[in-house]
Amino acid sequence: MTESNTSRTLRESADVVVLGAGPAGLVLGILLHTAGIDCVILERASRTHVQTRARAGFLAPTTVRILDRHGLADGLHRHGRRHGTCEFRTEDGRFRLDYGALGHGGQHHVYPQQHLVTDLLNHYLGLGGRIRFRTEALGVHDTDGTRPSVTACEPDGRSTRWTARYVAGCDGRYGAARRSLPPGSVRHHAYDHGVTWLGLLAEAPASLDAVGYAIHDHGFAGHMARTPEVTRYYLQWERGTPADAWPEQRIWDELDVRMRAAEHGPLRRGRLLERGVFDLACDVVEPLRHGPLFLAGDAASLLAPAAAKGANLAVLEAEILAEALADALTRGDTAGLDTYSDRCLEHIWRAQEFTGWMTRLLHAPPDRDQDAGSFFHAALRRSRLASLRTSRIHQDWFAENYVGV
Ligand code: RFL
């Protein structure tokens, strides 16, 4: 509701102001709106940008259950594909794990994040949900009191001050929510795995019917299906090298080498639609709350994409937070808000642990011949893989963690 309107600052209010329209913010917005809570989503990017930003693709069974529970999984069931196999390629040959038949028998659904975001957005708008695109939150204020506010920059350059009962920071690692946490109010645990990846989207069908993880002296290479026409590839990349440093031909040749295409079959090549360089770094904010400001998704914790956990955690946290906010606003029961951080951190640390384990499994330290320590770590990695290849108990553990959040 607009409270007053001056030429300089527009004043508005909502019970919950949600920052960011990624998976976390949209699921949260839908569940709050459905519970009759007055909320608004402020999103920095345009609608087109939000609906076309390619990122995740592997959704865990828990995520699908949550989306099913709230009637949000129609598109996913119609167009997504089930997936339950991964293949490791190393100097010792290759082996496959049918993780969908191991552990608790969980499979992924492969459904590109931008399609999920489009479905969520359409659902939210269909409910009459309020969202402001191209509106950047600049800061969250008054978080030491009970009436926080958010300053935001509108598409026309004017600023708005939103007052709220609660603010949900779902605006990622570099968003306004994190920036607005007063110094010393939370702990920030950051860790850099020391590895950089070049992420690629290729206009080409998948080259194998499995997630491919290739470990090579040149570095890691990965293959993940997205849609029948588009496949994601990864190349371990020298830190500091720009994404466009290599021509397409060289990238495909290097993927061939690392994925050992000569031995195991050719890769289906296609135009590279997108390239992005990112460091395998991770962090956790603890607790995920400062007064009436709550963090969810990448704003709460960033995970390296080695184990495909980020979007899954974002959806899980959004559901937990929505329930807690609805209890607080409709019944005055704040117990859920008080335990929100601890409940989510349990899942986050478990996901961080497995992601760290995957990262150490997939990356041979460079220059291993020159450095005794590097040789030692490479030998540990090889032994870890041998255990995964041969031990059913290890495989069950892997499967449970690989699809779980
Ligand atoms: P998002 O999706 O980043 O959305 C945040 C939104 O906030 C907006 N925003 C702001 N809005 C207003 N004011 C501000 N000041 C703002 N600052 C930012 C942004 O425009 C954006 O729209 O965060 P969310 O919702 O927390 O979701 C997290 C996931 O997007 C992320 O964890 C995953 O993409 C990670 N990830 C994967 N996760 C999986 O579960 N499975 C996967 O297969 C998987 N593959 C991946 C991935 C991440 C990747 N990247 C980004 C390196 C593959 C890749 C390549």
Side-chain angles (χ1 to χ4, degrees), residues 283-350:
D283 67 10
V284 181
V285 172
E286 196 167 0
L288 309 178
R289 168 184 196 175
H290 177 66
L293 169 61
F294 292 82
L295 304 180
D298 280 7
S301 172
L302 189 79
L303 287 107
K309 299 286 182 211
N312 292 294
L313 277 174
V315 170
L316 176 69
E317 289 157 18
E319 190 193 45
I320 296 174
L321 184 56
E323 198 176 311
L325 286 169
D327 283 350
L329 286 163
T330 56
R331 299 195 283 114
D333 176 359
T334 56
L337 291 180
D338 294 339
T339 54
Y340 168 73
S341 181
D342 286 347
R343 281 183 70 188
C344 292
L345 283 167
E346 210 177 307
H347 296 284
I348 287 172
W349 281 116
R350 180 110 184 246

Side-chain angles (χ1 to χ4, degrees), residues 55 134 148 233 244 257 364:
R55 288 175 147 192
R134 296 173 55 229
Y233 285 93
D244 58 2
V257 170

Side-chain angles (χ1 to χ4, degrees), residues 23-24 43-44 53 55-58 113 137 171 234 297-298 308 310-312:
E43 166 56 52
R44 181 179 60 187
R53 193 169 38 199
R55 288 175 147 192
F58 275 61
Q113 182 168 324
D171 52 347
Y234 295 109
D298 280 7
N312 292 294

Side-chain angles (χ1 to χ4, degrees), residues 119-139:
D119 295 348
L120 294 172
L121 192 52
N122 288 337
H123 192 97
Y124 181 68
L125 292 170
L127 293 172
R130 283 197 287 167
I131 183 162
R132 300 288 175 86
F133 290 105
R134 296 173 55 229
T135 298
E136 179 172 7
L138 302 174

